[in-house]
Amino acid sequence: MLSPLLFCRYINDLLLELASTNAGCYVGNLCYNVLSYADDLVLCAPSWVALQLLIDVLFKNVTLIDMICNVQKTVCMVFTPIDRHKIVLNSFPQFTIGRDALRFVTEFKYL
């Protein structure tokens, strides 16, 4: 029962650094850019540049604590805005974590 809590304590510095970037999705005056539970993280960003920044911060911090990100299980998903006139691009450059490219998916089954 303590595993998720202890893991979050272990990666607390990572979570704080991600939050300090202020690169994320704003709801009111609050910036949301990382959701975490146990060893699962979801990064949220309003743009390609912001998400790549968050991925870079993630990579730097997991390297410092001797962890790795499993790029076989790590994916990117783009949500289309409700107002289709706000679509800027329909395709994006690949996101990278370290030297590894991440896959884009249109759906993802979680647990």
Side-chain angles (χ1 to χ4, degrees), residues 14-111:
L14 160 66
L15 298 175
L16 290 173
E17 188 162 345
L18 286 167
S20 73
T21 64
N22 291 320
C25 298
Y26 280 81
V27 178
N29 292 329
L30 296 175
C31 178
Y32 295 92
N33 61 8
V34 62
L35 307 172
S36 68
Y37 180 76
D39 64 342
D40 291 324
L41 294 175
V42 175
L43 299 177
C44 305
S47 69
W48 184 93
V49 172
L51 185 54
Q52 186 62 60
L53 169 71
L54 293 175
I55 292 169
D56 293 342
V57 169
L58 172 74
F59 181 70
K60 179 187 90 170
N61 280 271
V62 297
T63 302
L64 288 174
I65 58 176
D66 201 27
M67 291 179 63
I68 60 168
C69 294
N70 185 340
V71 294
Q72 301 304 316
K73 293 183 179 179
T74 304
V75 295
C76 300
M77 183 181 285
V78 175
F79 294 91
T80 305
I82 293 172
D83 182 356
R84 301 227 184 253
H85 292 96
K86 293 183 178 181
I87 295 175
V88 178
L89 294 171
N90 286 319
S91 63
F92 300 89
Q94 289 246 246
F95 291 102
T96 58
I97 187 159
R99 295 182 192 151
D100 298 310
L102 301 176
R103 292 181 296 126
F104 277 95
V105 296
T106 56
E107 59 182 39
F108 182 76
K109 184 175 180 181
Y110 183 71
L111 298 177

